[in-house]
Amino acid sequence: MTVVLELGADLRSELKDPFGPVEPDTEAVLRAAGRPLVTVGDIVTFHVLDAGTTPDVALVDERTQRAAVDDHVREAIDASRFDRELSVENPPATLTTDLLETLRTALDDGESTLVRVDGEEDLAALPAIAAVPDGASVLYGQPDEGIVHVRVDAPVRERVRDLLARMDGDTDRAFAALGVDAE
């Protein structure tokens, strides 16, 4: 496991504003969602699965708001709902080559993939937004508000790539691991 990017304290405030609209209704989000569909976080993934949809890629760490998820949430995120299950290590406030390469593989292979993260998956929405094609959807949670639905297009991708480029670490290596151009 190699950490390639780390979130500096100076960038944390930029992540407070969601990258898309916040919707409390999972069904409404799914009606508007494009493909591939990527979910980041246990609660969002739980609600999407509960609504009868299997994400193309789901990243979970069995935690929500720094606490363990309830047993019913953990049990509902069942690997049998996916074509495959992968595991990676990714410490809090970082992005590792393992996470980035696994995300790239999951997106490229076309099989629904559950990625279990040992550590924290919170920042995984950023490389997911950078890597998916236009029209795809990345969903993540906004605590106590609902699901952030990022319908990816060039402006949001550019905003995310700029943010990734300003993180501490080796941006070129991160983009290479993810399989995207830095521009």
Side-chain angles (χ1 to χ4, degrees):
M1 172 197 64
T2 303
V3 171
V4 289
L5 293 177
E6 188 166 353
L7 183 66
D10 55 325
L11 296 179
R12 289 183 191 272
S13 64
E14 290 187 48
L15 296 178
K16 299 287 184 209
D17 293 329
F19 284 84
V22 180
E23 173 63 60
D25 180 359
T26 305
E27 297 285 344
V29 170
L30 291 173
R31 282 192 299 275
R35 289 290 190 169
L37 174 64
V38 179
T39 59
V40 179
D42 294 71
I43 302 303
V44 169
T45 301
F46 167 78
H47 285 295
V48 168
L49 289 168
D50 191 52
T53 298
T54 298
D56 296 289
V57 180
L59 296 105
V60 298
D61 64 1
E62 297 187 353
R63 306 195 65 71
T64 184
Q65 298 185 37
R66 309 281 185 245
V69 296
D70 292 338
D71 287 343
H72 78 280
V73 170
R74 185 178 40 76
E75 291 164 7
I77 302 173
D78 183 358
S80 69
R81 303 270 308 262
F82 296 83
D83 295 326
R84 67 176 168 193
E85 178 180 18
L86 303 172
S87 297
V88 298
E89 289 183 47
N90 194 79
T94 69
L95 293 169
T96 62
T97 52
D98 289 347
L99 185 137
L100 298 173
E101 289 171 351
T102 299
L103 178 58
R104 176 184 180 181
T105 298
L107 289 168
D108 288 349
D109 286 352
E111 295 183 319
S112 64
T113 305
L114 176 62
V115 180
R116 293 200 185 270
V117 179
D118 180 8
E120 187 176 273
E121 91 295 79
D122 293 4
L123 291 179
L126 298 175
I129 293 166
V132 297
D134 283 355
S137 290
V138 176
L139 311 180
Y140 65 91
Q142 188 77 2
D144 303 318
E145 292 185 43
I147 297 172
V148 177
H149 178 194
V150 183
R151 186 70 178 244
V152 179
D153 59 13
V156 75
R157 184 178 295 106
E158 182 177 322
R159 179 179 166 206
V160 164
R161 286 183 180 177
D162 174 68
L163 186 61
L164 289 168
R166 291 185 289 130
M167 290 175 73
D168 298 329
D170 189 343
T171 304
D172 291 337
R173 186 171 180 189
F175 283 124
L178 193 54
V180 300
D181 293 328
E183 307 283 320

